[in-house]
Amino acid sequence: SLVWYTLAAAALFAKFVFTTGLQGLTRLRTKTFQYPEDAAYWRGSEPAAEVERVVRAQRLLRNDGEGQPFFLAIGLAFVLLGGPPTFSALYFSIYAVSRVVHAGFFLWPKQPHRNRAFTVGMLALIALTVHALVLTASR
């Protein structure tokens, strides 16, 4: 179970690195920066409005910050409670893949695919939570 947890956490971290990198590269490419010291250092400007890709990246990071801590906490509890590796593989891989797919459809907008990816991840997290509670109750 710990292997699957680690792989899922690593995938989510890679998505974070990609998203922040995309945000930074977009700022450098467009020479538009949020803070005056960054604009001065990189010889850019402070726009009245952010570039759409940067705004989407910021919103994706906020969205991840709201949900992924629950996955990491409940997933770790599941591992520590001795959750079966078969279910760990199922829950953790479905959640991680759904979040990566959701990120793609968030950054390059496509509906209803983004909502479907989000829903799949949420259902995996709900199933993981219920299973962790069952394991807790059986102790």
Side-chain angles (χ1 to χ4, degrees):
S1 290
L2 186 58
V3 169
W4 287 104
Y5 177 81
T6 303
L7 290 171
L12 296 173
F13 177 68
K15 181 175 64 75
F16 168 78
V17 170
F18 175 82
T19 303
T20 57
L22 178 66
Q23 187 178 26
L25 288 173
T26 301
R27 287 186 192 280
L28 289 172
R29 190 180 65 236
T30 60
K31 294 276 192 196
T32 56
F33 301 92
Q34 186 174 15
Y35 302 108
E37 65 272 18
D38 295 340
Y41 181 79
W42 295 102
R43 295 185 176 99
S45 64
E46 292 177 78
E50 284 276 19
V51 175
E52 176 70 14
R53 178 85 59 227
V54 171
V55 171
R56 286 189 166 273
Q58 288 172 337
R59 289 179 181 162
L60 175 61
L61 291 169
R62 186 179 65 220
N63 183 277
D64 287 346
E66 293 167 352
Q68 287 179 190
F70 288 110
F71 167 76
L72 294 170
I74 295 165
L76 182 59
F78 187 79
V79 170
L80 294 176
L81 288 164
T86 303
F87 282 98
S88 297
L90 185 68
Y91 298 141
F92 299 162
S93 61
I94 288 173
Y95 183 83
V97 169
S98 74
R99 293 305 299 174
V100 169
V101 171
H102 173 264
F105 291 133
F106 203 110
L107 294 169
W108 291 275
K110 188 81 170 170
Q111 280 293 16
H113 305 304
R114 186 182 84 223
N115 282 353
R116 288 177 182 158
F118 179 86
T119 300
V120 168
M122 185 60 74
L123 290 173
L125 184 53
I126 290 168
L128 172 65
T129 302
V130 169
H131 200 155
L133 289 170
V134 168
L135 290 172
T136 300
S138 68
R139 292 202 161 239

